[in-house]
mmCIF file of all heavy atoms in Angstrom:
data_model
loop_
_atom_site.group_PDB
_atom_site.id
_atom_site.type_symbol
_atom_site.label_atom_id
_atom_site.label_comp_id
_atom_site.label_asym_id
_atom_site.label_seq_id
_atom_site.Cartn_x
_atom_site.Cartn_y
_atom_site.Cartn_z
ATOM 1 N N ARG P 174 -40.676 -41.936 53.620
ATOM 2 C CA ARG P 174 -40.237 -41.397 54.913
ATOM 3 C C ARG P 174 -40.718 -42.282 56.061
ATOM 4 O O ARG P 174 -39.946 -42.617 56.971
ATOM 5 C CB ARG P 174 -40.806 -39.962 55.097
ATOM 6 C CG ARG P 174 -40.393 -39.305 56.397
ATOM 7 C CD ARG P 174 -41.185 -37.996 56.623
ATOM 8 N NE ARG P 174 -40.870 -37.065 55.571
ATOM 9 C CZ ARG P 174 -39.862 -36.169 55.628
ATOM 10 N NH1 ARG P 174 -39.088 -36.145 56.699
ATOM 11 N NH2 ARG P 174 -39.643 -35.325 54.637
ATOM 12 N N GLU P 175 -41.958 -42.729 56.024
ATOM 13 C CA GLU P 175 -42.523 -43.594 57.071
ATOM 14 C C GLU P 175 -41.804 -44.967 57.039
ATOM 15 O O GLU P 175 -41.454 -45.496 58.075
ATOM 16 C CB GLU P 175 -44.023 -43.780 56.892
ATOM 17 C CG GLU P 175 -44.586 -44.741 57.949
ATOM 18 C CD GLU P 175 -46.104 -44.948 57.807
ATOM 19 O OE1 GLU P 175 -46.771 -44.104 57.188
ATOM 20 O OE2 GLU P 175 -46.602 -45.982 58.300
ATOM 21 N N LEU P 176 -41.591 -45.494 55.852
ATOM 22 C CA LEU P 176 -40.932 -46.784 55.741
ATOM 23 C C LEU P 176 -39.488 -46.752 56.360
ATOM 24 O O LEU P 176 -39.118 -47.668 57.044
ATOM 25 C CB LEU P 176 -40.889 -47.276 54.298
ATOM 26 C CG LEU P 176 -42.279 -47.624 53.731
ATOM 27 C CD1 LEU P 176 -42.177 -47.913 52.240
ATOM 28 C CD2 LEU P 176 -42.882 -48.805 54.442
ATOM 29 N N LEU P 177 -38.777 -45.736 56.006
ATOM 30 C CA LEU P 177 -37.404 -45.582 56.537
ATOM 31 C C LEU P 177 -37.437 -45.437 58.079
ATOM 32 O O LEU P 177 -36.627 -46.011 58.777
ATOM 33 C CB LEU P 177 -36.705 -44.384 55.942
ATOM 34 C CG LEU P 177 -36.116 -44.585 54.554
ATOM 35 C CD1 LEU P 177 -35.676 -43.282 53.932
ATOM 36 C CD2 LEU P 177 -34.952 -45.553 54.551
ATOM 37 N N SER P 178 -38.392 -44.716 58.572
ATOM 38 C CA SER P 178 -38.512 -44.506 59.986
ATOM 39 C C SER P 178 -38.967 -45.721 60.759
ATOM 40 O O SER P 178 -38.378 -46.103 61.769
ATOM 41 C CB SER P 178 -39.472 -43.333 60.262
ATOM 42 O OG SER P 178 -39.688 -43.178 61.667
ATOM 43 N N GLU P 179 -39.999 -46.414 60.241
ATOM 44 C CA GLU P 179 -40.619 -47.496 60.944
ATOM 45 C C GLU P 179 -40.010 -48.859 60.686
ATOM 46 O O GLU P 179 -39.916 -49.678 61.549
ATOM 47 C CB GLU P 179 -42.136 -47.550 60.598
ATOM 48 C CG GLU P 179 -42.882 -46.310 61.034
ATOM 49 C CD GLU P 179 -42.854 -46.096 62.538
ATOM 50 O OE1 GLU P 179 -42.905 -47.080 63.301
ATOM 51 O OE2 GLU P 179 -42.808 -44.938 62.972
ATOM 52 N N VAL P 180 -39.551 -49.073 59.454
ATOM 53 C CA VAL P 180 -38.992 -50.413 59.083
ATOM 54 C C VAL P 180 -37.461 -50.410 59.273
ATOM 55 O O VAL P 180 -36.890 -51.331 59.822
ATOM 56 C CB VAL P 180 -39.372 -50.784 57.636
ATOM 57 C CG1 VAL P 180 -38.738 -52.121 57.258
ATOM 58 C CG2 VAL P 180 -40.901 -50.858 57.500
ATOM 59 N N TRP P 181 -36.811 -49.354 58.789
ATOM 60 C CA TRP P 181 -35.343 -49.291 58.905
ATOM 61 C C TRP P 181 -34.853 -48.570 60.152
ATOM 62 O O TRP P 181 -33.697 -48.650 60.488
ATOM 63 C CB TRP P 181 -34.751 -48.609 57.676
ATOM 64 C CG TRP P 181 -34.552 -49.535 56.528
ATOM 65 C CD1 TRP P 181 -33.399 -50.148 56.164
ATOM 66 C CD2 TRP P 181 -35.517 -49.905 55.531
ATOM 67 N NE1 TRP P 181 -33.578 -50.920 55.043
ATOM 68 C CE2 TRP P 181 -34.877 -50.782 54.616
ATOM 69 C CE3 TRP P 181 -36.873 -49.589 55.289
ATOM 70 C CZ2 TRP P 181 -35.533 -51.376 53.520
ATOM 71 C CZ3 TRP P 181 -37.535 -50.179 54.215
ATOM 72 C CH2 TRP P 181 -36.875 -51.038 53.353
ATOM 73 N N GLN P 182 -35.754 -47.828 60.799
ATOM 74 C CA GLN P 182 -35.370 -47.104 62.006
ATOM 75 C C GLN P 182 -34.263 -46.095 61.757
ATOM 76 O O GLN P 182 -33.369 -45.909 62.575
ATOM 77 C CB GLN P 182 -34.961 -48.065 63.130
ATOM 78 C CG GLN P 182 -36.022 -49.066 63.530
ATOM 79 C CD GLN P 182 -37.218 -48.427 64.181
ATOM 80 O OE1 GLN P 182 -37.040 -47.696 65.180
ATOM 81 N NE2 GLN P 182 -38.394 -48.661 63.694
ATOM 82 N N VAL P 183 -34.327 -45.442 60.587
ATOM 83 C CA VAL P 183 -33.332 -44.385 60.322
ATOM 84 C C VAL P 183 -34.065 -43.118 59.881
ATOM 85 O O VAL P 183 -35.190 -43.221 59.337
ATOM 86 C CB VAL P 183 -32.354 -44.809 59.193
ATOM 87 C CG1 VAL P 183 -31.520 -45.972 59.622
ATOM 88 C CG2 VAL P 183 -33.066 -45.106 57.914
ATOM 89 N N PRO P 184 -33.486 -41.944 60.072
ATOM 90 C CA PRO P 184 -34.159 -40.707 59.635
ATOM 91 C C PRO P 184 -34.154 -40.630 58.167
ATOM 92 O O PRO P 184 -33.282 -41.165 57.452
ATOM 93 C CB PRO P 184 -33.261 -39.622 60.266
ATOM 94 C CG PRO P 184 -31.937 -40.283 60.418
ATOM 95 C CD PRO P 184 -32.176 -41.725 60.751
ATOM 96 N N TYR P 185 -35.154 -39.953 57.613
ATOM 97 C CA TYR P 185 -35.260 -39.735 56.165
ATOM 98 C C TYR P 185 -34.231 -38.683 55.741
ATOM 99 O O TYR P 185 -33.984 -37.746 56.430
ATOM 100 C CB TYR P 185 -36.669 -39.245 55.800
ATOM 101 C CG TYR P 185 -36.905 -39.104 54.328
ATOM 102 C CD1 TYR P 185 -37.250 -40.245 53.562
ATOM 103 C CD2 TYR P 185 -36.783 -37.880 53.673
ATOM 104 C CE1 TYR P 185 -37.484 -40.110 52.185
ATOM 105 C CE2 TYR P 185 -37.035 -37.740 52.335
ATOM 106 C CZ TYR P 185 -37.368 -38.875 51.618
ATOM 107 O OH TYR P 185 -37.599 -38.752 50.254
ATOM 108 N N GLY P 186 -33.676 -38.901 54.561
ATOM 109 C CA GLY P 186 -32.762 -37.923 54.049
ATOM 110 C C GLY P 186 -31.786 -38.478 53.054
ATOM 111 O O GLY P 186 -30.630 -38.825 53.391
ATOM 112 N N GLY P 187 -32.265 -38.686 51.812
ATOM 113 C CA GLY P 187 -31.399 -39.129 50.736
ATOM 114 C C GLY P 187 -31.153 -40.628 50.734
ATOM 115 O O GLY P 187 -30.371 -41.124 49.909
ATOM 116 N N ALA P 188 -31.825 -41.374 51.634
ATOM 117 C CA ALA P 188 -31.578 -42.813 51.687
ATOM 118 C C ALA P 188 -32.793 -43.609 51.163
ATOM 119 O O ALA P 188 -32.860 -44.808 51.383
ATOM 120 C CB ALA P 188 -31.284 -43.246 53.145
ATOM 121 N N ASP P 189 -33.713 -42.938 50.463
ATOM 122 C CA ASP P 189 -34.908 -43.625 49.991
ATOM 123 C C ASP P 189 -34.624 -44.654 48.903
ATOM 124 O O ASP P 189 -35.433 -45.491 48.603
ATOM 125 C CB ASP P 189 -35.956 -42.668 49.530
ATOM 126 C CG ASP P 189 -35.483 -41.753 48.439
ATOM 127 O OD1 ASP P 189 -34.270 -41.574 48.293
ATOM 128 O OD2 ASP P 189 -36.342 -41.188 47.705
#
Side-chain angles (χ1 to χ4, degrees):
R174 181 189 297 271
E175 178 180 339
L176 292 173
L177 281 170
S178 174
E179 297 298 324
V180 178
W181 275 265
Q182 301 292 308
V183 296
Y185 184 82
D189 58 339

